[in-house]
Amino acid sequence: MKGRKLLMIPGPIEFEPEVLRVLGAQTASHVAPNFIATFGNCIRSMRKIWQTKNGQPFIISGSGTLAMDMAASNLIEQGDNALVISTGYFGDRYKDILERYGANVTILNVVPGKTIEIDRVNDALKKKKYKLLTFTHVDTSTGVLVNPKPIAELAKKYNVLSILDGVCSVAGEEIKQEEWGLDIVLTASQKAIGVPPGLALLVVSKKAMSVWEQRKTLVSNYYCDWQNWLPIMKAYEEGKPSYFGTPPVNLIFALEKSLEIIVTEGIQKRVKRHQTIAAAFRRSIQSIGLKLMPISNNICANTLSAIYYPEDVNGGEFCAKMAANDIIVAGGLLPELKTIYFRVGHMGSVSTKDIVATLSAIENALKFVNYKFEFGISLKTFQEEIYKTTINN
Ligand SMILES: *Cc1c(COP(=O)(O)O)cnc(C)c1O
């Protein structure tokens, strides 16, 4: 269809038509019985998707950065030690946020494209007592997938709260918050959750809530203070009206729909779909001779891919050609490497058909900028990979 674009960036993503339809309905009162019921449903669905029975969900108007801010501002007091494991852009951002609230931050960095070695985390935790640690499940700047389980286990062993930035992973990658012992898992609506931008979503463990309760000083961020929001979340879950700040009513109706779609698909099946599509996409990209930023296929995210341009290919020209073909991809995000790679989001409602269209546009743009390769090879590879996995299932 003329003018219809396919948004293949790591958020906002392509949204399900039903979600968008709900979003456009007439706005209800934030204390209307049907809205209260919807809010309660969202809270209950979040527990299912995050895989926790006892976690406390928060649904707040804001972006993913607000979710990061909320976790930091409620748990950090002046002078607390925090460990940031940074695998890219968003890890670095967490350092800035924590410092703003007076934390003493130690940061563990990696070379872009690598994941963190678990021994380095262990050594850091052995050396110094931390109140909390943060890490990024999928750093959207590098496409690297960090395995949360061993890090969560270490945090538990050293009695340190663990905060997982799951903005680019929740509802796309495997997360078992309670089983793995993660204290906070946070995300935003516009990524694999599948709702237009505007919602910060967190689930907080009982342990983290009790650390917050034992604070000696007031939370210095008024809007983020759980003191203001916890009664609201509890009231909505109990089916009672409540008010602190007006919730984004339409977005929450849309959230209910999208969470319902996720729960109906089943979280395991959904994660598997992401894995299958991502693996086939990676092989297809590699078949054209392009290189991924993650140093090996087993640390590649399933929600997005970060891909180096071939040498001598002008990234600006390539992305412009993609856009002219109505496939929108994202440029690089790491400031120092920005011009040498691009990113393709493949999360949420993503289907094999979206990938076929994307690969076709990538080949078209590469040919246009005079890159030499076997025209059609990525499409053939993708077909074969997907055929294999559907036959085997
Ligand atoms: C997108 C993203 C964020 C920031 O979310 P915003 O909604 O843009 O504020 C943080 N962390 C990760 C891993 C992300 O992918």
Side-chain angles (χ1 to χ4, degrees), residues 269 272-273 276 385-393:
K269 242 177 109 182
K272 185 88 187 111
R273 171 167 58 81
T276 304
E385 289 296 323
I386 290 297
Y387 188 74
K388 253 194 291 188
T389 46
T390 40
I391 287 292
N392 289 339
N393 283 339

Side-chain angles (χ1 to χ4, degrees), residues 50 100 164 269:
W50 270 245
R100 188 65 63 93
L164 182 69
K269 242 177 109 182

